[in-house]
Amino acid sequence: MATKKLIGVTFVLSALVLTSCSSTGTGNGGPDAGDGTVPEVDGAGQKVTVWVMDGDYTEETLTAINERFTEETGAEVNLQVQTWDGIATKIATSLATDTPPDVLDVGNTQIASYAANGGLYDLTPFKDDLAQGRTWLDGLVDPATIDGQLYGVPGFAGARAVIYNKKMWADAGVTEEPETYDELTAALDKVQAANADVSDFSAFYLPGQYWFAGVQFVWDAGGEIATEEDGTWSGGFSSDDAKAGLEEFKSFQNAYSSAASATLNTTEPDQNQIFADGKTSAILNTNTNGILKVNPDLEGDLGTFPLPGRDGAQPVMLGGSDWAIPARSQAIELALNWVKIAASPEIQDEYVFAVDGWIPNSTEAIEAADADVPEVKKGFFAAALKSRATPANPNWTTIQNNKDIENVFKSVVSGSKSVDQAAEDFDAQLEKVLNLK
């Protein structure tokens, strides 16, 4: 389901399969870029195959896209819903064949892996037309852009925001949502003091391995995970800005989360359970569903807001989905038309948001949705307006799968390493992995 993307699950791709993808294998060669407009196509009697991940879009949304596509092109759609089990291998294998699906629903952080060695069609000439006058969210489009070339079109997003217990905060004398970092810490100080007699209480439960939270502090301080120049990647955590962010994350985590949480992640124990049990007044997460599943009585007590930083909200890492077209598709022109419809303002506003409940793919769509967003979800939508992404490098999945990124934050907040040593060690590993050919 889509939440697997939102918590950053990635997959190890088969090097053998990927290297079999030809950088020039482009099916029918694709359309002439011309003026950058997706060409109109008479597709009567033809069919495109679309792979969509289970749980990403509702049947109503997909039907709306397919019906408009058939009306405009005359072609039919072979929609195939894919399960998560084994999907990385299945996609990689399909990209190496001469008959892959024509459109893929791909996690935003997975685009670089599939684009390696020419696996995905270069959408760059049609970028402006596919955007249709809207500004895509950075956290969706940046990881789909490799060496300046676009390989994925944003579909939907999910963002992390602070979820807090309004009643618990009000009882502590906090009735306004904080908009600055100082206001946040002042509020948490009051909540912590008001619950001093509650054993194992955290004003803000933030486990040390929670790198999605930690990287927000790094970005907010002006740091980067990694940068690329002339094909060579350099780790960014050893910069003064990044180390300042690491220090701030450590200070915040040590001050407001439990001592035991310094070496833990968000699932063991489940942070939703901790919140539902009243052991914390705030967490950082992508939705309130997990809390309400455990304790439905909290529904009216929940509020959300973006995590404040030095200058407004901290940048967040978006989870979500992009649409990609395999380079060897035999129907690239039709695939472009299908993707353009899926990314269109109508589908984004009236279906992806209004029906599916996802954060739509552009700043304009989020602003258009503002009046209709339920109050408890506004924090997630607001957070998505200031987003970042992991490095657009096919080897990034190794860093996540090896838990290198989790461990650097754990070592800092637990004190097992100094900030300087943790940053140096992480950058060394990062450069080794990201520069593998």
Side-chain angles (χ1 to χ4, degrees):
M1 48 193 257
T3 51
K4 291 193 177 182
K5 290 177 185 172
L6 301 184
I7 61 175
V9 171
T10 54
F11 304 91
V12 179
L13 301 181
S14 165
L16 178 62
V17 171
L18 278 177
T19 52
S20 68
C21 293
S22 166
S23 60
T24 58
T26 55
N28 61 15
D32 183 348
D35 61 359
T37 301
V38 172
E40 295 182 4
V41 184
D42 180 2
Q46 299 182 58
K47 182 176 289 188
V48 295
T49 298
V50 177
W51 283 9
V52 62
M53 296 310 302
D54 184 29
D56 273 9
Y57 298 89
T58 63
E59 182 178 352
E60 184 176 350
T61 294
L62 294 167
T63 297
I65 298 170
N66 292 341
E67 288 180 348
R68 180 172 159 186
F69 172 78
T70 299
E71 179 182 349
E72 293 184 5
T73 67
E76 301 295 325
V77 180
N78 175 20
L79 185 70
Q80 298 182 11
V81 179
Q82 304 296 316
T83 59
W84 288 97
D85 187 30
I87 189 59
T89 300
K90 186 172 184 179
I91 290 177
T93 301
S94 76
L95 293 177
T97 71
D98 290 328
T99 56
D102 302 299
V103 179
L104 293 170
D105 172 19
V106 179
N108 59 324
T109 61
Q110 300 163 15
I111 291 287
S113 295
Y114 296 130
N117 303 295
L120 300 180
Y121 181 72
D122 184 356
L123 302 166
T124 310
F126 306 101
K127 180 177 179 178
D128 289 344
D129 194 36
L130 290 167
Q132 299 162 82
R134 291 196 161 179
T135 307
W136 288 331
L137 301 177
D138 291 341
L140 292 179
V141 70
D142 285 355
T145 305
I146 297 96
D147 295 330
Q149 305 301 109
L150 181 71
Y151 292 95
V153 172
F156 69 82
R160 288 171 181 80
V162 178
I163 304 171
Y164 74 106
N165 187 315
K166 293 190 293 185
K167 183 178 184 303
M168 192 176 288
W169 280 36
D171 289 345
V174 182
T175 57
E176 298 289 335
E177 290 180 353
E179 296 183 358
T180 68
Y181 187 78
D182 287 344
E183 289 175 356
L184 173 63
T185 56
L188 295 175
D189 287 340
K190 291 181 180 179
V191 174
Q192 192 95 321
N195 293 273
D197 59 341
V198 180
S199 62
D200 299 323
F201 180 80
S202 299
F204 195 125
Y205 184 75
L206 197 65
Q209 290 190 46
Y210 197 9
W211 74 269
F212 297 108
V215 76
Q216 291 191 199
F217 284 79
V218 171
W219 283 331
D220 188 60
E224 300 287 348
I225 298 176
T227 56
E228 182 267 339
E229 184 175 359
D230 297 330
T232 299
W233 287 85
S234 300
F237 272 33
S238 295
S239 72
D240 290 343
D241 287 341
K243 287 191 289 187
L246 289 171
E247 289 282 9
E248 289 171 4
F249 179 64
K250 177 180 181 178
S251 296
F252 186 87
Q253 198 278 342
N254 287 179
Y256 299 113
S257 195
S258 65
S261 70
T263 59
L264 301 177
N265 58 29
T266 59
T267 56
E268 297 176 3
D270 182 2
Q271 65 174 350
N272 292 315
Q273 183 73 57
I274 291 172
F275 189 105
D277 290 344
K279 294 293 186 178
T280 187
S281 77
I283 60 173
L284 190 74
N285 210 345
T286 56
N287 60 66
T288 61
N289 298 342
I291 295 169
L292 295 177
K293 183 178 180 180
V294 178
N295 188 352
D297 294 338
L298 288 175
E299 185 166 9
D301 294 335
L302 301 181
T304 62
F305 57 87
L307 184 61
R310 297 182 177 194
D311 183 19
Q314 290 187 354
V316 302
M317 181 182 149
L318 291 187
S321 174
D322 287 351
W323 295 109
I325 298 174
R328 293 187 176 187
S329 164
Q330 300 299 311
I332 286 177
E333 290 187 355
L334 285 171
L336 281 166
N337 278 268
W338 194 95
V339 169
K340 183 176 178 180
I341 292 169
S344 68
E346 176 192 357
I347 294 298
Q348 288 292 313
D349 298 352
E350 299 179 18
Y351 291 92
V352 172
F353 163 65
V355 174
D356 298 352
W358 290 118
I359 297 172
N361 67 0
S362 69
T363 58
E364 292 86 357
I366 291 176
E367 291 164 359
D370 184 67
D372 298 316
V373 176
E375 191 65 33
V376 74
K377 292 186 177 182
K378 285 186 179 293
F380 305 117
F381 280 67
L385 290 171
K386 192 174 181 180
S387 63
R388 301 287 298 278
T390 53
N393 180 294
N395 300 327
W396 172 256
T397 54
T398 300
I399 296 296
Q400 284 191 234
N401 290 333
N402 289 347
K403 296 190 175 183
D404 295 318
I405 186 73
E406 294 180 5
N407 289 333
V408 66
F409 288 103
K410 179 181 73 172
S411 65
V412 165
V413 300
S414 68
S416 64
K417 290 184 181 181
S418 68
V419 166
D420 286 348
Q421 188 63 56
E424 181 181 334
D425 291 348
F426 178 66
D427 279 355
Q429 174 67 1
L430 196 63
E431 290 170 4
K432 177 182 176 182
V433 172
L434 295 189
N435 288 307
L436 285 174
K437 302 299 183 183

